[in-house]
Amino acid sequence: MKIIMLGAPGAGKGTQAKVIAEKFGIPSISTGDIFRANIKNGTELGMEAKKYMDQGLLVPDELTVKILLDRVAKEDCKDGYVLDGFPRNIPQAQVLDKALEEQNEKLDFAIDVEVPDEDIIRRMSGRRACAGCGATYHVEHIPPKKEGICDTCGQELVLRDDDKPETVKNRLDVYHKQTQPLIDFYEAKGILKTVDGTMDMKEVSAAIAAILQ
Ligand code: ADP
Ligand code: AMP
């Protein structure tokens, strides 16, 4: 099963990608997490990506596409994967399609998690991410058992640099201009499925599970 998650930043793609991944025993792959891990480790890729991420801009395709294609070529992806945050523009989607075609493969579903912009800003200011394992929480909606501490690995939870309101606004603009056109792109391919992302997290998971059955 090969699935991509679509939706605005903060729509709940990562939250749901992890649920799907667990259910189907496939990896959930976030290009944002890969960049953040590189930033944390001080790599050249991380330093370059950070320049764009801090402004809410997309990291250039030359950097992004290669790390994604390398990642999906790994052994743990042989039975499929859920992509969270890739593709984010039409050229990225075309590169992915071409790479899959060359292996006689294709995507099964593009799941669009719909949340209006006004809800997004609220979600992002409450988002807390684990600096260790990348797990995501929300201070009100999806709190950790112990405030400020990751349930999974016990490390500290932090507000992402790019979740500050001024950056979120830029990220939403970038989403509408560059990423939203992917909805029509995958609709035309007949694999688009839409879910209402404003529901409770468990209800969103149930709606996605019904699609994937
Ligand atoms: P994305 O991966 O699309 O950027 P996340 O999965 O990180 O979004 O979710 C953004 C924030 O919203 C996080 O703090 C997450 O815990 C919270 N969240 C996710 N799904 C829901 C939901 N259905 N209702 C309320 N908050 C949610
Ligand atoms: P995310 O964790 O998915 O919200 O991504 C955080 C940031 O990483 C984005 O705002 C972009 O700057 C960058 N990024 C993640 N995925 C991509 C991608 N597919 N293409 C370009 N930039 C990306």
Side-chain angles (χ1 to χ4, degrees):
M1 181 90 81
K2 296 188 186 64
I3 301 165
I4 63 164
M5 304 300 293
L6 294 176
K13 300 182 296 295
T15 303
Q16 297 302 333
K18 290 183 185 100
V19 175
I20 299 170
E22 177 126 336
K23 197 170 166 144
F24 287 91
I26 53 179
S28 129
I29 298 171
S30 153
T31 35
D33 280 352
I34 296 175
F35 289 136
R36 281 184 289 278
N38 275 275
I39 292 172
K40 201 174 158 201
N41 294 329
T43 69
E44 210 170 301
L45 169 68
M47 286 188 294
E48 188 60 22
K50 189 174 180 347
K51 291 186 208 159
Y52 300 90
M53 291 168 76
D54 283 351
Q55 298 177 68
L57 300 173
L58 294 187
V59 176
D61 292 350
E62 303 85 83
L63 297 177
T64 310
V65 164
K66 186 173 183 309
I67 59 160
L68 188 276
L69 294 182
D70 286 351
R71 179 64 189 88
V72 296
K74 294 214 159 107
E75 176 65 17
D76 65 336
C77 291
K78 69 177 184 343
D79 294 330
Y81 44 75
V82 194
L83 301 186
D84 153 27
F86 187 100
R88 260 189 159 91
N89 58 26
I90 301 271
Q92 291 182 7
Q94 287 168 331
V95 171
L96 178 62
D97 265 3
K98 190 163 167 275
L100 288 169
E101 250 171 58
E102 282 167 5
Q103 292 158 357
N104 268 331
E105 290 176 9
K106 59 177 179 54
L107 292 171
D108 296 289
F109 294 105
I111 299 176
D112 180 30
V113 184
E114 282 192 332
V115 175
D117 285 8
E118 47 277 24
D119 294 348
I120 293 288
I121 311 260
R122 238 191 341 267
R123 284 226 186 148
M124 307 285 254
S125 57
R127 169 156 64 184
R128 296 293 179 274
C130 174
C133 71
T136 315
Y137 301 85
H138 190 282
V139 289
E140 281 168 50
H141 308 299
I142 307 170
K145 293 196 181 82
K146 190 165 173 232
E147 198 184 320
I149 302 292
C150 179
D151 292 350
T152 315
C153 74
Q155 290 207 38
E156 194 195 352
L157 301 180
V158 293
L159 177 68
R160 273 168 48 175
D161 283 344
D162 60 347
D163 277 351
K164 296 183 180 117
E166 58 280 13
T167 316
V168 170
K169 203 187 155 298
N170 287 345
R171 293 170 66 196
L172 274 173
D173 285 346
V174 167
Y175 167 73
H176 289 301
K177 290 198 186 97
Q178 301 193 46
T179 310
Q180 213 169 16
L182 291 174
I183 293 176
D184 288 344
F185 180 90
Y186 287 114
E187 170 96 280
K189 290 187 179 290
I191 59 166
L192 182 77
K193 303 284 173 186
T194 304
V195 293
D196 175 1
T198 64
M199 299 184 294
D200 179 83
M201 184 213 149
K202 289 213 161 62
E203 291 173 308
V204 180
S205 298
I208 294 176
I211 291 167
L212 299 180
Q213 256 174 23

